[in-house]
Amino acid sequence: MPVWHDATRKLRDEGRIQLVGLIQEQHPDRCKLFMQWKQMDWPVLVDPLNLLEVSAVPLALLIDEQGVVREVLRDPRRDLADHVLARFDAEEQPIAEEAIRRAADAAEVFVTEGIDAVMNRFNARPDPPDRDA
């Protein structure tokens, strides 16, 4: 995250982007202390059970003003412009769509109902399919 912090500072200062972090940490207070130490000021959502099934970090989703995901970034050291103009790989598309849907749902609940509602609703694994059916 410190790389993102430095790489996006100008865009954030200009109001051109907004960052929201997502951690898989079991102890969110550690993240809070790290964010304070590194002077990172964006909100961070907690997914300790990896419900979004993120296989590697860092991962960034670029979402435009209309809520359309424009790109998934996997390496923050690469030039952002190169990523923005690229498309999802065929195998990434369904994974990204589901992750985006869940993230958007979680963000909406966060804004309308608060962090406790998000944690209660999204920090549980979905029920597994019925194997007897």
Side-chain angles (χ1 to χ4, degrees):
M1 286 195 323
V3 174
W4 282 111
H5 184 252
D6 294 338
T8 61
R9 181 183 306 275
K10 182 178 180 204
L11 296 171
R12 287 184 294 113
D13 289 346
E14 294 170 353
R16 295 176 57 200
I17 65 168
Q18 172 63 49
L19 299 179
V20 176
L22 176 71
I23 62 164
Q24 297 168 337
E25 174 67 55
Q26 292 290 332
H27 305 283
D29 289 342
R30 293 179 187 172
C31 176
K32 183 177 179 180
L33 290 172
F34 180 78
M35 297 286 287
Q36 289 173 344
W37 175 51
K38 292 293 186 176
Q39 298 179 343
M40 292 183 267
D41 57 359
W42 56 80
V44 176
L45 302 176
V46 180
D47 181 17
L49 300 177
N50 193 21
L51 296 175
L52 295 176
E53 299 180 356
V54 175
S55 60
V57 293
L59 172 72
L61 303 173
L62 297 182
I63 304 171
D64 70 13
E65 296 87 357
Q66 288 75 41
V68 176
V69 174
R70 295 298 179 182
E71 186 55 72
V72 173
L73 306 179
R74 298 198 183 276
D75 185 349
R77 294 164 294 201
R78 291 189 59 196
D79 182 29
L80 292 177
D82 292 341
H83 291 288
V84 171
L85 299 175
R87 297 193 179 274
F88 289 118
D89 293 339
E91 68 183 43
E92 292 177 320
Q93 188 69 35
I95 297 166
E97 288 174 1
E98 178 61 18
I100 293 159
R101 184 194 63 75
R102 286 190 55 79
D105 291 347
E108 181 177 350
V109 171
F110 175 72
V111 169
T112 60
E113 301 176 40
I115 191 67
D116 288 337
V118 170
M119 291 174 66
N120 288 332
R121 201 166 305 161
F122 291 90
N123 285 354
R125 290 234 180 248
D127 293 331
D130 185 7
R131 295 185 188 264
D132 296 331

